[in-house]
């Protein structure tokens, strides 16, 4: 079953019959697509355009296999003009389909929880299934957050947003397989990794991350960008400190030496 296509139809309120009419195919053809059949390229493009979803997301099996692409862009699956343009169902599908690891690097990442009220429970479920979950937020008392707040023109509001965002993840403290840390590093990109898929949200000076483009990368060859961004997450993670949310307010304590 193509659950991604089924989910996109449900999210958009489009029936299989309506999709068939829009793509000028028989409704039985759409039924076969939902059953897992890969459409011809022109039909994939028409479906993606009608549902406003990237066709590589709906049919990842149609992507070029590793070694078939070349050049500095190897591994680039899709681009979005801003983070809000990424379909909600893609965030959910990538999370639910992860089997090895989920890594998140942000300052506040407020949207990540507010767009999915069950985020903590879902991450706990993935951890119970053996997925390693690592969440890294900005340190509200750190220099990097203070600088970013001034650059965006929101001052201390960024630190407050981080504190609010962390409350969504409090149930994960002590959950086997889940770890939350706070970093005090300059954040050039927000990163969201699900196994071999990586969503990279670059930061433009003075603008909130939500207003900036997003790149969807997939792990590929040596010429790809995936490895560089994945390594940057590990570097920041190694410098970050655990968030404990102790009696004094773990999110508000200064850096521990």
């Amino acid at each position: 079953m193509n659950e991604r296509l089924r989910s996109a139809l449900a999210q958009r309120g489009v029936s299989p019959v309506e999709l068939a009419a829009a793509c000028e195919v028989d409704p039985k053809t759409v039924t076969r697509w939902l059953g897992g059949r890969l459409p011809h390229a022109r039909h994939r493009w028409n479906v993606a355009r009608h549902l406003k979803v990237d066709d590589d997301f709906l049919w990842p099996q149609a992507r070029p296999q590793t070694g078939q692409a070349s050049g500095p862009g190897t591994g680039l699956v899709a681009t979005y003009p801003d983070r809000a343009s990424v379909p909600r169902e893609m965030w959910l599908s990538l999370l639910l389909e992860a089997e090895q690891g989920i890594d998140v690097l942000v300052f506040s990442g407020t949207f990540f929880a507010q767009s999915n009220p069950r985020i903590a429970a879902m991450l706990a479920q993935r951890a119970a299934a053996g997925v390693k979950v690592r969440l890294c937020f900005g340190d509200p008392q750190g220099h990097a957050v203070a600088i970013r707040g001034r650059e965006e023109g929101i001052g201390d509001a960024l630190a407050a947003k981080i504190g609010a965002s962390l409350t969504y993840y409090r149930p994960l403290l002590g959950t086997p397989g889940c770890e939350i840390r706070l970093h005090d590093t300059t954040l050039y990109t927000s990163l969201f990794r699900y196994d071999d898929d990586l969503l990279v949200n670059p930061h433009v000076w003075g603008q909130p991350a939500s207003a900036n483009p997003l790149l969807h990368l997939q792990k590929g060859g040596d010429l790809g960008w995936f490895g560089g961004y994945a390594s940057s997450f590990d570097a920041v993670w190694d410098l970050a400190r655990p968030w404990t949310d102790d009696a004094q307010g773990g999110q508000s304590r200064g850096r521990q030496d």
Side-chain angles (χ1 to χ4, degrees):
M1 300 295 292
N2 190 330
E3 293 297 341
R4 294 187 176 188
L5 178 58
R6 186 179 300 278
S7 175
L9 288 171
Q11 290 282 339
R12 299 293 185 267
V14 177
S15 70
V17 173
E18 292 170 331
L19 181 64
C23 296
E24 300 181 346
V25 298
D26 189 277
K28 291 182 179 179
T29 299
V30 175
T31 300
R32 287 192 285 270
W33 295 346
L34 289 167
R37 177 170 295 184
L38 180 67
H40 293 298
R42 63 185 178 88
H43 291 320
R44 295 200 302 270
W45 186 82
N46 285 332
V47 171
R49 181 181 62 174
H50 188 70
L51 298 179
K52 297 180 180 179
V53 179
D54 190 83
D55 62 329
D56 283 331
F57 168 71
L58 294 174
W59 292 284
Q61 68 270 37
R63 299 172 186 166
Q65 296 299 310
T66 299
Q68 291 181 323
S70 62
T74 299
L76 178 61
V77 174
T79 61
Y80 298 87
D82 52 64
R83 195 177 62 201
S85 299
V86 181
R88 180 175 181 269
E89 55 266 24
M90 189 171 102
W91 293 102
L92 295 176
S93 295
L94 289 175
L95 188 153
L96 293 173
E97 294 171 6
E99 297 180 348
Q100 299 175 340
I102 296 174
D103 295 335
V104 175
L105 175 62
V106 292
F107 269 139
S108 66
T110 308
F111 86 98
F112 198 58
Q114 291 183 342
S115 62
N116 182 10
R118 297 188 60 253
I119 185 65
M122 294 174 68
L123 288 172
Q125 290 172 358
R126 301 313 303 142
V131 177
K132 184 178 181 181
V133 178
R134 299 187 295 177
L135 310 178
C136 199
F137 297 89
D139 189 331
Q141 295 299 308
H143 296 295
V145 167
I147 293 173
R148 184 65 182 180
R150 290 196 298 270
E151 291 175 349
E152 290 188 17
I154 60 176
D156 294 338
L158 180 56
K161 287 173 62 177
I162 296 172
S165 184
L166 285 169
T167 61
Y168 290 98
Y169 303 96
R170 187 175 291 116
L172 294 178
L173 291 174
T175 299
C178 293
E179 189 174 358
I180 303 174
R181 295 186 183 182
L182 304 179
H183 70 88
D184 188 20
T185 58
T186 301
L187 190 59
Y188 299 102
T189 55
S190 296
L191 300 174
F192 308 86
R193 180 179 180 179
Y194 309 88
D195 292 346
D196 291 340
D197 286 273
L198 181 60
L199 305 184
V200 178
N201 185 196
H203 292 191
V204 175
W205 191 94
Q207 296 184 14
S210 59
N212 299 327
L214 186 140
L215 311 177
H216 183 177
L217 307 180
Q218 190 175 49
K219 192 173 183 179
D222 294 338
L223 296 178
W225 302 331
F226 188 100
Y229 282 113
S231 296
S232 71
F233 175 92
D234 291 332
V236 175
W237 182 258
D238 290 341
L239 293 172
R241 65 178 177 85
W243 177 55
T244 58
D245 191 33
D246 61 12
Q248 286 74 40
Q251 71 270 33
S252 63
R253 293 182 298 133
R255 176 174 294 278
Q256 295 177 338
D257 294 329

